[in-house]
């Protein structure tokens, strides 16, 4: 059973019991890999938790970057999120249609901008619907909120910083599937090399989830990290394909009380295209 914490992770029961809270704001943070050819906005329009707004990970990002859904400026983030009816005193719950996937990226973005009152819905929309809780296809027109945001730069790393980390004792944890981490499987994005950042460790994000898409217990999460050689007493940089599942690692680390972590925003979408940056395979 989820141990609810409105700053990290809440259960479906917690959300159901707090739906009448006037400060509550619900976000559908669904996002899919391009190869899936799914439209998360269309899916949201057809079926969502009543009152939820759609958080578009690709739209609320740095449009000047060639990399996918990079962190936007604090000014842009505050403006677009306020348009969703969110203010600094809002309590936010974010979910996705996978169970626990891209919602973690939305959670991390809010944390990056100094906004702590946000939690991921454990098990997301699949668990909510499996419990026969009500959903809606009614669109919501929010009243714009009042939001200020300040980037917490210690929570994000760029390629140069990760390169330095790879040459020192700082731990880099990669959330991608083992075959991609080893370089045995091609990358889903064209033009990228196969492999991993030197000296990185592999904690596949799905190894942190139960069969029903909820986060494992704290003891099991701790064991999953330690099984891959992660020293939980030391700092961590999380990485993945494009910064989405790296956020699942960040969420899990936060859940077990490890708050000394940062996220490599460009992740393999950037590193795999930097041909003067080293890689490992095998």
């Amino acid at each position: 059973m989820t141990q609810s914490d409105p700053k990290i992770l809440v259960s479906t029961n917690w959300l159901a019991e707090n739906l009448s809270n006037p400060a509550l704001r619900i976000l559908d943070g669904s996002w899919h890999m391009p190869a899936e050819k799914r439209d998360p906005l269309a899916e949201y329009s057809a079926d969502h938790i009543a009152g939820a707004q759609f958080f578009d990970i690709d739209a609320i990002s740095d449009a000047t970057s060639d990399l996918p859904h990079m962190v936007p400026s604090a000014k842009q983030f505050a403006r677009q999120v306020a348009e969703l009816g969110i203010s600094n005193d809002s309590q936010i719950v974010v979910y996705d249609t996978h169970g626990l996937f891209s919602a973690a990226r939305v959670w991390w973005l809010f944390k990056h901008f100094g906004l702590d009152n946000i939690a991921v819905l454990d098990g997301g929309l699949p668990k909510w619907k499996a419990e026969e809780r009500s959903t809606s296809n009614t669109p919501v027109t929010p009243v714009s909120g009042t939001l200020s945001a300040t980037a917490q730069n210690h929570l994000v790393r760029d390629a140069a910083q990760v390169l330095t980390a790879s040459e020192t004792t700082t731990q880099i944890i990669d959330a991608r599937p083992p075959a991609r981490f080893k370089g045995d499987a091609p990358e889903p994005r064209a033009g990228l090399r196969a492999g991993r950042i030197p000296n990185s460790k592999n904690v596949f994000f799905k190894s942190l989830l139960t069969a029903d898409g909820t986060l494992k217990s704290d003891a099991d999460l701790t064991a999953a990290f330690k099984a891959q050689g992660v020293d939980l007493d030391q700092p961590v940089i999380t990485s993945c394909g494009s910064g989405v599942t790296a956020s699942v690692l960040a969420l899990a680390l936060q859940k077990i009380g490890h708050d000394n972590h940062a996220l490599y925003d460009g992740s393999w979408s950037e590193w795999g295209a930097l041909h003067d940056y080293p890689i490992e395979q095998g």
Side-chain angles (χ1 to χ4, degrees):
M1 180 178 293
T2 304
Q3 187 177 12
S4 293
D5 181 338
K7 295 182 184 294
I8 303 175
L9 190 76
V10 296
S11 68
T12 49
N13 283 336
W14 185 96
L15 179 57
E17 291 168 0
N18 284 271
L19 287 176
S20 60
N21 178 357
L24 180 69
R25 299 291 183 269
I26 306 172
L27 297 176
D28 182 329
S30 298
W31 177 86
H32 309 299
M33 289 293 293
E36 293 184 73
K37 299 188 184 303
R38 292 174 60 180
D39 184 341
L41 178 56
E43 293 176 7
Y44 159 82
S45 298
D47 195 24
H48 56 261
I49 296 175
Q53 293 288 301
F54 182 69
F55 186 102
D56 191 329
I57 287 175
D58 287 325
I60 305 177
S61 68
D62 181 3
T64 68
S65 175
D66 294 332
L67 298 170
H69 41 256
M70 293 286 284
V71 173
S73 68
K75 181 178 180 181
Q76 177 189 342
F77 182 85
R79 174 178 55 80
Q80 289 181 290
V81 171
E83 289 170 355
L84 297 175
I86 292 173
S87 299
N88 286 85
D89 59 355
S90 299
Q91 170 62 57
I92 306 139
V93 174
V94 58
Y95 69 86
D96 62 54
T97 54
H98 288 270
L100 205 167
F101 179 58
S102 54
R105 173 67 181 189
V106 180
W107 171 86
W108 179 83
L109 275 173
F110 274 80
K111 298 292 184 180
H112 172 69
F113 286 113
L115 304 165
D116 285 334
N117 294 328
I118 182 169
V120 171
L121 180 64
D122 201 16
L125 189 62
K127 190 171 192 293
W128 184 266
K129 293 175 70 172
E131 294 167 350
E132 299 183 347
R133 302 183 191 272
S134 62
T135 58
S136 172
N137 60 5
T138 303
V140 179
T141 304
V143 176
S144 186
T146 302
L147 192 74
S148 60
T150 303
Q152 310 297 302
N153 292 324
H154 66 284
L155 295 180
V156 67
R157 295 289 185 270
D158 62 22
Q161 291 169 318
V162 174
L163 178 62
T164 298
S166 73
E167 297 168 343
T168 65
T169 57
T170 300
Q171 300 174 107
I172 302 167
I173 311 177
D174 192 322
R176 292 176 301 157
R180 287 172 59 193
F181 177 79
K182 294 176 183 178
D184 294 339
E187 285 297 304
R189 293 178 176 85
L192 299 181
R193 299 172 296 169
R196 63 181 177 273
I197 299 167
N199 299 316
S200 56
K201 304 175 188 296
N202 186 210
V203 179
F204 182 30
F205 84 96
K206 286 188 177 180
S207 71
L208 305 178
L209 306 178
T210 66
D212 67 355
T214 57
L215 204 61
K216 288 182 176 179
S217 69
D218 287 6
D220 286 344
L221 292 175
T222 299
F225 283 111
K226 288 185 174 180
Q228 298 304 315
V230 178
D231 184 347
L232 293 171
D233 293 324
Q234 299 299 320
V236 165
I237 297 173
T238 64
S239 181
C240 61
S242 65
V244 173
T245 57
S247 302
V248 177
L249 300 187
L251 179 75
L253 288 166
Q254 200 71 32
K255 181 70 170 58
I256 61 176
H258 186 293
D259 58 6
N260 192 359
H261 55 84
L263 185 144
Y264 174 25
D265 197 27
S267 284
W268 199 256
S269 294
E270 180 178 40
W271 195 280
L274 295 173
H275 291 274
D276 54 342
Y277 274 52
I279 64 170
E280 290 181 343
Q281 295 179 323

